[in-house]
Amino acid sequence: MGRGWRFLLLPATGCVAAAMLPVLPGWGGLLLILVLSLAGLGFRISRAPALFLLGMAWFLGHAQWLTDRQWPEDRAGDRQRVTGTVAGLPVQHEQSLRFEIRTDRGANNANVPRRIQVSWFRPPVHVQPGSRWNLELELRPPAGRDNPFGFDSRRDLLSKRIGATAAVRDDFEALPDSPRGLADRQRQRLASILQAETEHRDAAALKRALGLADRSAMQADTSDLLRRTGTAHLLAISGLHVGMVAGMVTLLCSLILAPLVLLGGRLDRRRIALAGGLLAAMGYAMLAGFTLPTQRALIMLAAVVLAFFFRRGIAPAHALLLALAAVLLFDPMAPLATGFWLSFAAVGVLVWAFAWRPVEPAARSQWLVGLMRAQLVVAVGLLPLNIGVFQQLVPGAFLANLGAIPLVGIWILPALLMEMVGVALGLGTAWVSRIGETGLMMLIHGLQWIDQLRWSHMPWVAGSQTAVLLAAIGALWLLAPRGWPARGLGVILLLPLLAARPGVPGKAELEMWMLDTGDGLAVLMHNEAEVLLYDTGPGDGQGNDLIGRELDSMLAGLNHRRIDRVVVSHDHRAHAGGLGSIQDRVPPERILGSPEHFDNPCLAGQAWQAGKYRFRILHPSSGLPDLGANSSCVLHVAGPGGSMLLTGAIDAAVEARLVQLFNGPPADVLVLSAGGHRRGSSSSFLAAVSPGLALASVRRHDRFERPHPEVRQRLDAAGVRLVSTGQCGALRVRMSEGRAPEIRSMATLKPRFWKQRDHCP
């Protein structure tokens, strides 16, 4: 690599590496890094590390600036009038409309973040891209659930530069629309037409995602199908889409310009046609919302076209590096987005594996062999990313992509582009719409067949970040061009990633995870003998819930295959909402719940043993009527490592009964009733139970202010430490024989600079 390209590679590497830091150095530390990097540029020996530091300073400066301008924690829930423009496509989710608003610069929006993610419950007006509004917003700092092996929504908000989340209150005023939303309005119009002209719902959603990068119509089942078969990358509008548009327009321009060459000898038909193709690609990228993969593909295409214009050659690796540097220059927060890694990693491994290999004329016609070889390269090259980021091993991806990529590239995408052009020009597109829909249904049925194969998909969790890093080096070593020394040794570096499996607590131990579910409760307890889920978190009871999306990764991360038993405390959507995703996985006789809805009612006196830990139901008794939340199943767990009490949503009346019948019962860990509602956790109950630790499952900025200040006062008076999921993310309690229960939280188990860690264990 020439010296000039190193001036791009080193800062880009520093920028990406800085995204991994657990903390920000602050403005003082950042100034020191900047001074060191600028001083190092003056000396040849220190120039390389100085460029690396310069890239780090670029990322860290932006990260510090964005976090400083987020809506402050002490003003969570404040209302303020905000004037701004709707950016991107609004997304309808159940009865709420979610969209991003970019605030106007001016005195009215002083101290308000530039980008706000807004939720509007049952909006009485039509909200379209580019529309301008004066809204009364209830503002909150960016927040999201933080669970082990789960999606980090706060990182996602930071990558999008969202400085606050907000809910629209009653007062609003529509303002004249902005012309800046013209492209997005066209996207919305095309999306609506594609949806209306397609018979099958899933095919229509895939058309919108493939053609316009609009995933708002995607059903959870379809998204899971693509993820489980390793074909989710097909939804990214990438080099294939952009290159196909550019190629089609270039060919069209070339045919149109052919007669003109006869009239003007100096007319360079190829250059004009290429310029037309590049302009068409830019227009399509704008129509697709300038997503990150589109940016990468467009920059690489522009580099190749410009090199042709100036009669220069450019290596694929250099074009990719140029795209990487340009993306990071304009958006240094891009490494926080998953799409960044998928887009650049997939192209990077292909360039690394094939760019330096000589072209064999005899193999040019062997397109199937070439396609299989490319799939194998991508499968091996992205193995560390699939396990490290998505916690899955997808052997079926090879077979799925072998059929899906040609089907999309040769059949579906050309038909879809023709349909979109026809719609834009007002032409009849029914016939081409049916062709595209047929291809999409073939794709869906094929992927469903592959997904049913037992070996197709396996949840898999990486042992550590070191294992992921070693595997990435091993994959690149294995895929290196011919002449690279001992390429087979790369397999050795892959083994720690594939062999590492987390240990399961022994029978004398018990590990409890209180998941960060927001409004609701889900507690997973496990050891060698049993995996038990107490409550299933919030959801609609029909499969649209958090636990269904994260359970497979959670179980794989804990080295389990199934749940052995479920206890549903009471029939409330915050506690039983995830049952729709659970009940098919557990035998009915192993699900305990209310007598009205379950064959196996949860009643006092039931007990079982898991290893050296005894589980007892303390409430409700069989003679009691339905008392609503006061009929919650109260579960007591005790063993050689300590005890814990889970109280569902009972209030002080039931607590008094527990004190009378069981003298508490005493417990080292108490899961607060209803997230710390003031009707529970009475002083007499706390005195009887005498816990050392109280856990509350609540949203970060809970609208009911849970744990309630009165509950906090009672806990303080009793000398009980309080930890909540809203403050620290998911909580883990480990009980081991001869030791006091140990508590940790996601805030410290997986520290990142965008997480709050104050007072978190």
Side-chain angles (χ1 to χ4, degrees):
M1 178 174 288
R3 182 176 299 176
W5 293 106
R6 292 177 187 171
F7 277 91
L8 294 180
L9 177 62
L10 290 169
T13 307
C15 188
V16 172
M20 313 294 178
L21 292 179
V23 295
L24 294 176
W27 288 112
L30 182 61
L31 181 62
L32 179 62
I33 295 174
L34 194 59
V35 170
L36 289 175
S37 60
L38 292 177
L41 290 176
F43 305 93
R44 176 177 296 181
I45 192 172
S46 59
R47 198 163 291 160
L51 287 168
F52 182 84
L53 287 177
L54 201 59
M56 291 188 71
W58 182 245
F59 176 90
L60 295 174
H62 278 78
Q64 189 70 56
W65 186 84
L66 287 172
T67 52
D68 286 350
R69 279 154 181 76
Q70 289 179 347
W71 190 250
E73 293 281 337
D74 57 0
R75 294 190 64 188
D78 284 4
R79 295 189 179 191
Q80 183 161 334
R81 293 203 69 84
V82 172
T83 303
T85 305
V86 176
L89 301 183
V91 177
Q92 186 74 40
H93 180 67
E94 297 182 347
Q95 299 186 61
S96 292
L97 190 72
R98 182 177 295 176
F99 54 90
E100 178 187 330
I101 191 167
R102 297 192 182 176
T103 58
D104 295 346
R105 299 183 188 279
N108 291 339
N109 293 332
N111 301 321
V112 174
R114 186 83 171 96
R115 301 187 185 193
I116 302 174
Q117 182 175 282
V118 178
S119 179
W120 198 341
F121 182 71
R122 294 179 178 173
V125 293
H126 177 58
V127 178
Q128 65 175 355
S131 57
R132 299 188 69 249
W133 299 88
N134 183 275
L135 303 169
E136 184 182 14
L137 299 179
E138 185 175 297
L139 292 156
R140 300 183 187 278
R145 300 182 179 102
D146 188 7
N147 287 308
F149 325 113
F151 179 69
D152 191 337
S153 52
R154 187 160 185 183
R155 182 195 64 187
D156 183 59
L157 291 174
L158 184 61
S159 72
K160 297 174 181 173
R161 299 169 178 259
I162 301 294
T165 58
V168 179
R169 294 313 171 196
D170 295 335
D171 196 9
F172 63 90
E173 177 188 2
L175 303 175
D177 290 349
S178 167
R180 287 184 297 177
L182 182 61
D184 283 330
R185 283 198 287 274
Q186 289 303 313
R187 286 179 71 198
Q188 192 177 53
R189 173 178 168 271
L190 281 173
S192 300
I193 295 174
L194 291 177
Q195 183 81 39
E197 293 190 350
T198 307
E199 181 179 353
H200 293 89
R201 182 190 60 180
D202 290 338
L206 284 172
K207 277 187 177 180
R208 295 172 63 166
L210 279 167
L212 300 165
D214 172 21
R215 304 187 188 185
S216 60
M218 293 284 293
Q219 299 295 312
D221 290 347
T222 309
S223 298
D224 286 344
L225 177 66
L226 295 172
R227 179 183 59 81
R228 290 169 60 86
T229 53
T231 52
H233 64 90
L234 294 174
L235 298 185
I237 295 183
S238 59
L240 179 63
H241 301 61
V242 175
M244 190 167 288
V245 170
M248 290 169 61
V249 174
T250 299
L251 178 62
L252 185 62
C253 290
S254 182
L255 293 174
I256 293 174
L257 291 172
L260 299 180
V261 176
L262 301 175
L263 302 177
R266 295 183 179 180
L267 191 64
D268 191 332
R269 181 172 58 126
R270 289 188 299 175
R271 289 186 178 184
I272 295 176
L274 280 172
L278 181 59
L279 287 174
M282 292 175 64
Y284 178 64
M286 184 172 64
L287 191 63
F290 271 123
T291 57
L292 199 148
T294 311
Q295 295 173 25
R296 192 260 312 151
L298 189 61
I299 294 171
M300 292 184 69
L301 179 65
V304 172
V305 171
L306 289 175
F308 182 84
F309 260 72
F310 294 102
R311 301 186 188 281
R312 302 283 183 182
I314 183 168
H318 292 163
L320 182 64
L321 179 56
L322 189 63
L324 175 66
V327 166
L328 293 175
L329 179 64
F330 291 103
D331 184 10
M333 308 309 291
L336 297 180
T338 305
F340 170 87
W341 294 95
L342 281 177
S343 177
F344 281 98
V347 179
V349 295
L350 287 172
V351 169
W352 173 250
F354 294 117
W356 287 278
R357 299 190 182 196
V359 177
E360 301 174 3
R364 287 176 180 172
S365 59
Q366 300 177 359
W367 64 271
L368 182 58
V369 175
L371 179 63
M372 294 176 65
R373 188 178 296 171
Q375 292 309 312
L376 191 59
V377 166
V378 171
V380 174
L382 296 188
L383 183 64
L385 197 63
N386 269 324
I387 294 180
V389 176
F390 300 108
Q391 290 92 41
Q392 62 176 2
L393 190 62
V394 194
F398 178 81
L399 183 61
N401 282 296
L402 199 61
I405 289 180
L407 184 61
V408 171
I410 299 173
W411 183 334
I412 297 172
L413 195 54
L416 180 57
L417 292 175
M418 290 175 64
E419 183 180 1
M420 290 169 57
V421 170
V423 170
L425 298 177
L427 305 175
T429 58
W431 62 276
V432 74
S433 177
R434 282 195 294 274
I435 292 175
E437 185 174 355
T438 303
L440 284 168
M441 293 312 297
M442 290 174 59
L443 174 68
I444 292 172
H445 293 321
L447 295 181
Q448 287 173 339
W449 179 78
I450 293 173
D451 188 43
Q452 290 175 354
L453 302 175
R454 296 187 62 182
W455 50 266
S456 174
H457 172 267
M458 289 178 275
W460 205 277
V461 175
S464 66
Q465 291 187 355
T466 304
V468 176
L469 180 61
L470 288 176
I473 297 172
L476 292 177
W477 197 286
L478 188 63
L479 299 174
R482 290 176 184 173
W484 192 271
R487 289 187 297 171
L489 293 179
V491 176
I492 298 175
L493 296 179
L494 286 170
L495 293 179
L497 184 72
L498 298 172
R501 302 295 290 166
V504 175
K507 293 183 179 179
E509 300 171 312
L510 186 71
E511 185 176 270
M512 181 268 264
W513 276 98
M514 175 182 277
L515 301 184
D516 184 4
T517 61
D519 295 324
L521 178 66
V523 176
L524 190 75
M525 290 177 275
H526 72 111
N527 61 12
E528 279 185 7
E530 184 168 277
V531 180
L532 181 143
L533 183 65
Y534 181 87
D535 278 347
T536 60
D540 61 5
Q542 305 298 319
N544 185 20
D545 49 64
L546 172 74
I547 198 76
R549 293 192 294 272
E550 302 201 353
L551 186 61
D552 285 340
S553 298
M554 185 82 186
L555 290 176
L558 300 176
N559 202 9
H560 290 289
R561 293 181 178 273
R562 66 178 186 276
I563 291 178
D564 299 305
R565 197 185 306 265
V566 176
V567 176
V568 179
S569 66
H570 64 296
D571 301 327
H572 189 283
R573 289 184 63 170
H575 294 254
L579 197 58
S581 298
I582 300 296
Q583 57 190 4
D584 292 339
R585 300 168 176 241
V586 184
E589 65 274 13
R590 288 256 174 174
I591 301 178
L592 303 180
S594 64
E596 291 77 16
H597 297 93
F598 294 89
D599 296 334
N600 193 10
C602 175
L603 294 173
Q606 292 171 309
W608 63 92
Q609 195 80 17
K612 293 186 177 181
Y613 287 82
R614 183 166 177 79
F615 293 71
R616 284 192 303 154
I617 302 294
L618 306 184
H619 179 81
S621 301
S622 56
L624 290 174
D626 182 9
L627 302 173
N630 264 337
S631 292
S632 295
C633 288
V634 177
L635 178 64
H636 184 256
V637 185
S643 57
M644 66 177 74
L645 185 63
L646 297 92
T647 55
I650 61 173
D651 64 13
V654 177
E655 290 176 352
R657 187 170 183 268
L658 292 175
V659 172
Q660 182 182 14
L661 294 176
F662 303 102
N663 194 27
D668 297 302
V669 180
L670 172 65
V671 176
L672 293 180
S673 167
H677 196 284
R678 65 177 175 177
R679 67 172 182 264
S681 307
S682 62
S683 297
S684 58
F685 182 63
L686 292 176
V689 176
S690 186
L693 187 65
L695 309 181
S697 178
V698 291
R699 186 186 292 273
R700 181 167 185 80
H701 304 289
D702 185 64
R703 57 179 173 166
F704 303 114
E705 299 183 350
R706 296 175 300 172
H708 196 273
E710 294 179 10
V711 173
R712 292 177 182 271
Q713 290 176 4
R714 292 174 208 151
L715 292 170
D716 286 341
V720 181
R721 184 185 183 186
L722 171 64
V723 184
S724 73
T725 55
Q727 179 188 18
C728 303
L731 307 175
R732 187 191 71 186
V733 177
R734 277 184 176 169
M735 294 182 173
S736 303
E737 190 169 6
R739 297 181 183 177
E742 176 202 30
I743 181 169
R744 295 292 303 273
S745 69
M746 286 299 294
T748 56
L749 285 170
K750 195 173 181 180
R752 291 291 185 271
F753 66 83
W754 55 84
K755 296 181 180 180
Q756 299 288 333
R757 291 186 293 173
D758 298 339
H759 312 296
C760 290

